[in-house]
Amino acid sequence: MSSAKIVLLVILVCSLSCSNDRAKLGKPASGTQDALSDFAHWWSYHSKNIKFYKHFTPFDTDARAIPLDSFMQKYRTGEYAVLKYTQDDTTIQYQLKKLDANSEENIRNQLRATAYSDFRDFLKVGKPLEGFGYQSIDGRAFDRETTRNQFVVMKFWFIGCVPCIEEMPELNAIVAKNNARKDVVFLSVALDPQPALRKFLAGRKFDYAVVGDKKDYVADTLGINAFPTHLLIDKQGNVAGICSNVKDLKEMLAAHSIAE
């Protein structure tokens, strides 16, 4: 056999081997074995490990890699939990796990609601944000033209949301770290009317631009019903990721080289 053919054969074998490795589940995340033992274990495990804004390889219940759309369609039914595995400590893998008849009712109920919300978020990713065209309470316009070639870091909130308020100092610090950048915009969309927002912000420092009176839009158009919700729009004007807390937001920003 010629040397050229030997080299080609080695490359082919390596390629097939690497492909097969990627199609196998790696190391289970801590707590995977007990993830469905009761509601407390499941909720802690899911909250810590399952982040759909991250890139991951989807697997079915038989540990076979499947298309992302198929994975999410099954997950949305609320009949499947998601387990996390990692390969080479870098590649994230999520596997569907069918709930059995003995699963706690609390897990089933919460999973149905969580899966429905996660699926709605999934449908937004990679597309322009519906209804993206606002005027802030100080008169600035934010739309696809005014934010062209910019990242838009968004927060959805309301005055009576305690976690929304508690995270503001940390969000202000993120704004400060990106203050010199002209390609990053920080925008918040609030449910409250403008007079209430002006009164609230008179005694509270919040360095995001603020859009008010969007209760119906946020609920009916965007389908957001958990607060706070954070969302990142990329420079092409498409939703890049959605999350629910500052820790996850920082990971999402870092993945796009935005200071966190």
Side-chain angles (χ1 to χ4, degrees), residues 35-39 42 78-81 97-109 111-112:
L36 295 173
S37 60
D38 56 43
F39 179 82
W42 170 75
E79 298 176 4
Y80 299 84
K97 172 67 175 178
K98 180 80 171 179
L99 295 181
D100 61 38
N102 297 321
S103 297
E104 284 189 14
E105 191 63 25
N106 285 343
I107 295 178
R108 292 182 175 277
N109 292 338
L111 185 53
R112 278 194 291 267

Side-chain angles (χ1 to χ4, degrees), residues 27 54-57 84-93:
K27 179 182 177 181
K54 294 185 176 182
H55 177 75
F56 65 92
T57 303
K84 179 184 177 182
Y85 296 79
T86 55
Q87 191 176 89
D88 302 325
D89 296 324
T90 55
T91 302
I92 297 174
Q93 302 167 320

Side-chain angles (χ1 to χ4, degrees), residues 19-259:
S19 177
N20 289 335
D21 285 345
R22 286 194 294 269
K24 295 179 180 178
L25 286 174
K27 179 182 177 181
S30 176
T32 296
Q33 184 174 352
D34 299 320
L36 295 173
S37 60
D38 56 43
F39 179 82
H41 278 90
W42 170 75
W43 183 246
S44 174
Y45 179 89
H46 185 93
S47 301
K48 178 181 178 181
N49 292 293
I50 310 305
K51 313 292 183 182
F52 288 114
Y53 61 82
K54 294 185 176 182
H55 177 75
F56 65 92
T57 303
F59 285 79
D60 66 12
T61 55
D62 295 319
R64 295 176 300 196
I66 59 174
L68 178 59
D69 285 350
S70 298
F71 179 95
M72 294 303 297
Q73 287 287 354
K74 285 181 177 293
Y75 171 63
R76 72 175 292 196
T77 65
E79 298 176 4
Y80 299 84
V82 179
L83 304 179
K84 179 184 177 182
Y85 296 79
T86 55
Q87 191 176 89
D88 302 325
D89 296 324
T90 55
T91 302
I92 297 174
Q93 302 167 320
Y94 290 161
Q95 182 191 18
L96 295 170
K97 172 67 175 178
K98 180 80 171 179
L99 295 181
D100 61 38
N102 297 321
S103 297
E104 284 189 14
E105 191 63 25
N106 285 343
I107 295 178
R108 292 182 175 277
N109 292 338
Q110 185 60 54
L111 185 53
R112 278 194 291 267
T114 301
Y116 177 77
S117 177
D118 288 340
F119 185 75
R120 292 196 67 165
D121 289 346
F122 166 72
L123 293 178
K124 296 182 181 75
V125 175
K127 303 172 185 175
L129 183 66
E130 190 173 356
F132 182 69
Y134 319 114
Q135 185 174 42
S136 66
I137 61 176
D138 59 1
R140 287 180 287 169
F142 295 88
D143 53 37
R144 289 181 64 85
E145 288 302 316
T146 60
T147 61
R148 183 180 294 276
N149 297 320
Q150 294 177 311
F151 289 107
V152 183
V153 184
M154 298 185 68
K155 168 187 166 112
F156 297 88
W157 66 289
F158 63 95
I159 291 173
C161 168
V162 174
C164 299
I165 309 308
E166 289 179 340
E167 70 178 9
M168 285 182 175
E170 205 165 351
L171 296 179
N172 289 342
I174 295 174
V175 175
K177 290 179 181 179
N178 292 278
N179 191 48
R181 292 186 60 162
K182 303 301 182 183
D183 64 337
V184 182
V185 174
F186 292 88
L187 174 66
S188 74
V189 176
L191 311 187
D192 312 275
Q194 292 193 23
L197 287 167
R198 289 195 177 93
K199 181 178 179 180
F200 173 81
L201 294 169
R204 172 79 61 170
K205 178 178 171 59
F206 186 33
D207 294 332
Y208 278 49
V210 178
V211 174
D213 201 20
K214 292 296 183 181
K215 182 177 180 179
D216 292 341
Y217 164 72
V218 171
D220 299 337
T221 301
L222 299 184
I224 293 174
N225 55 21
F227 302 92
T229 288
H230 298 278
L231 182 150
L232 177 65
I233 297 177
D234 63 25
K235 290 187 175 183
Q236 288 70 50
N238 298 319
V239 175
I242 304 172
C243 65
S244 61
N245 58 70
V246 176
K247 180 178 181 295
D248 290 347
L249 173 64
K250 288 181 176 181
E251 287 189 355
M252 199 159 64
L253 296 181
H256 291 81
S257 301
I258 300 173

